[in-house]
Every structure is written in C-alpha cells, then in structure tokens.
Amino acid sequence: MRTCLTAGVLVALVGLTGCGGSNAIDLPPAGSGNGGPPDAIAWGPRLAESGLSALAGADDEFGGSVAGALARAARAVPNGGSQSSLVDEDGRTADEVSVRVVRDVDLGGLAHEITDGARFIVQVPSPAPRQGFELAAFTGLIPGIEPDLSSYPHEVLGVWAWEDEGAAGAFWSRSPPVPPVDFGPEFTTGSAVYEGDAAGVLAAAGTATKFVADVRLEADFGDGTVGGAVSGFRSLTGGVLNDLSVTLGETGFAGDGAPFTGDTSAGGTAGSGKWGGRWSDGTGSAIGGTFGFAAVDSSLAVLGAFTACACTSGAPGK
C-alpha cells in the first residue's frame, strides 16, 4: 500500500515502470508522534561553497550518452517546476511529476518519492536503483538537522536522465507545496535582488559533469520583469568547469505569482535555451526554477535547476 504527502513539484519524466513494489505508508500529521526509527533522510555536506547538499548522486560524473537529450531539454519551455526533452507539439515540457515525502517501511524511515502518476516511482534514498536511469538530487536542508519533513519547508532540485529513452530533464520543488502568492509590501514597488545556488549537468567535449553554480536575479516590480544569470560553474568537488555564464533573459511576470518563462544565452557561444521559474514562497521573497542552454551544434549543453532568495544573509543555508 502506498499513500503519500504531496510536496508540490513539477517534473517531466515518463517511460519508467509502474509504481508497484514500494512499501510506503501514510505520514501522520506533524507533531502527532509515530514511534519507530527517527524520521530522517540522510544528505551530505555542503557542496563546493554552495548552499546545497546532495540527496543522491554526489559524485561528479553523470554517466551515459546524455548530451543530445540535455540539449533538447535545454531548449524546451519549462512548465513552472520542470524542464525536459519530453515536450508537447508547442515545445513545452509535457508532463507533470510529483515529489512527495513518504514513510518507507523497508527503509525504516522517510524518503522523497518522485513519481509521474501511476507510471513510475523513484525513491531517494533508492532501495533499488533503476538500470539506465540516473538521478542527481539536491536540497537546501542544513546537514545534521532532523526536521519533521511532513511540515518543514525545504526544497529539492536536480537533474535526471533515462538513457534507454534518450530523455533528460531538470526539476525544482518545494515541500510543503508552494502557497498562493500574495506579494509582501516590499515586493510591490522598486526592485529586489535574489541570490542563490544552481545545480545540474554540463555536457561538453564528450563528457557530462554535474555542477553547482551561482545564480543572481533581479526583479523590477514596477515593470513586472525578472532576469539574471547563472555563473561560476564548478564540479561538485569544487573544480572549475569553464568560464561559462548563462544569461537568464529578462521576462515578464504576472501579479498573481504565476510561473514565468524566458530565453537564455551565453556570451560568445552561438546557441539558444529556455529558463523558467516561480515564486517559491507566499510573499515573493524567493524564486525557484530551471534553466538550460545548448550550442547550435549541441557540442555544449547545460541543464539545471536553481533556488534564490532576497535574503540579507544570502542564499538559504549559507
């Protein structure tokens, strides 16, 4: 039996096997107590001077021949929380996938479950990794704490590839789900700067390497526009990958806080891509989303997700 607590993310994944086989049960209401093992999900230390830690895929290499799928995903229109090579006739990311926090009896604790309806299930931590499927997932949770994840606000973002299907994608999520956006008074006039972290995969010269990077956005609330850049690409262990900087082209956003999309570019490299985001809290102080860029000949492709906030102390967890 599987029943889950929705954690509110959109991810584009299809082609995986059905949901059968998990032994997850309902989570009790926050604070009700449930006995048994501690409700903790293991995650590692901070990655390469970032505010992110790895939930899964903490090694640098992203295996398989994924460059083509990454390039297609980089050019796809995001849908607010995910961006993938699986698109509809308009080039928009087609499927919506949920990330949920569940209690898994076999694991003896909690797990993040990534699922597309009844078509597949991937759990982090995974009791049985799927052949041909690769996932790198990251969180802004502070290492060493053990919050009640059924109610504690946290983000999960990452990238995935399904080599047999030639598909790849990136996703961002917030748990509990993103509340209705009612911009606070400080986010209705003037401008605000959002800073944070990005993570994903960069494919170039025949290799695919996971990265962390820095993101900086600026929103103009008078004009209703937002844009920025992702820079400082480095491997999970801190090695500089290249001097790539991906511009998140300025785009408009609606006053109701709906998801928004825009174009990307990279100085000195002919190519194209898309990015998208959504206000990730109820006041307009934080943004989460996805981005991609690919060279014309697909010799370089970058795909990832980001989280950023207008916090005086920098990105969450820093």
Side-chain angles (χ1 to χ4, degrees):
M1 176 182 68
R2 179 191 306 110
T3 52
C4 308
L5 180 71
T6 300
V9 62
L10 304 177
V11 185
L13 297 175
V14 296
L16 294 174
T17 59
C19 279
S22 175
N23 191 16
I25 62 175
D26 280 332
L27 290 177
S32 67
N34 47 51
D39 293 333
I41 297 176
W43 57 89
R46 289 288 191 246
L47 296 167
E49 299 180 356
S50 78
L52 299 176
S53 301
L55 282 170
D59 55 315
D60 279 339
E61 183 179 357
F62 200 76
S65 302
V66 298
L70 290 174
R72 293 191 298 276
R75 302 182 183 110
V77 179
N79 63 13
S82 67
Q83 182 171 347
S84 88
S85 58
L86 303 167
V87 298
D88 60 20
E89 59 185 12
D90 297 321
R92 180 176 292 274
T93 298
D95 289 354
E96 298 183 0
V97 175
S98 296
V99 171
R100 300 173 285 189
V101 176
V102 301
R103 178 182 302 284
D104 190 284
V105 175
D106 294 333
L107 293 175
L110 301 183
H112 287 99
E113 181 180 87
I114 303 174
T115 180
D116 176 19
R119 282 181 287 182
F120 75 87
I121 172 176
V122 178
Q123 280 194 178
V124 180
S126 174
R130 296 177 180 277
Q131 184 175 359
F133 177 73
E134 185 157 0
L135 171 73
F138 308 91
T139 180
L141 285 167
I142 300 172
I145 67 170
E146 294 185 1
D148 178 353
L149 289 180
S150 66
S151 60
Y152 187 88
H154 66 286
E155 293 172 283
V156 177
L157 58 158
V159 287
W160 57 268
W162 184 244
E163 189 172 5
D164 292 345
E165 300 291 329
F171 66 91
W172 169 90
S173 83
R174 180 189 184 276
S175 173
V178 178
V181 178
D182 182 12
F183 289 104
E186 68 273 40
F187 302 113
T188 55
T189 61
S191 62
V193 172
Y194 298 77
E195 294 183 316
D197 300 289
V201 175
L202 189 152
T207 62
T209 305
K210 299 168 191 171
F211 68 78
V212 287
D214 305 314
V215 60
R216 186 182 189 276
L217 297 159
E218 183 168 359
D220 186 317
F221 293 96
D223 295 338
T225 58
V226 61
V230 182
S231 60
F233 287 81
R234 53 202 181 273
S235 70
L236 302 191
T237 52
V240 176
L241 294 181
N242 58 34
D243 59 358
L244 179 70
S245 179
V246 176
T247 298
L248 309 179
E250 189 174 84
T251 187
F253 64 85
D256 61 0
F260 46 84
T261 63
D263 298 320
T264 65
S265 60
T269 303
S272 61
K274 297 289 184 181
W275 78 283
R278 62 182 304 161
W279 308 100
S280 59
D281 65 0
T283 66
S285 65
I287 300 174
T290 62
F291 70 98
F293 175 82
V296 171
D297 60 1
S298 298
S299 59
L300 178 146
V302 58
L303 181 71
F306 67 86
T307 174
C309 75
C311 308
T312 56
S313 59
K318 286 190 175 181

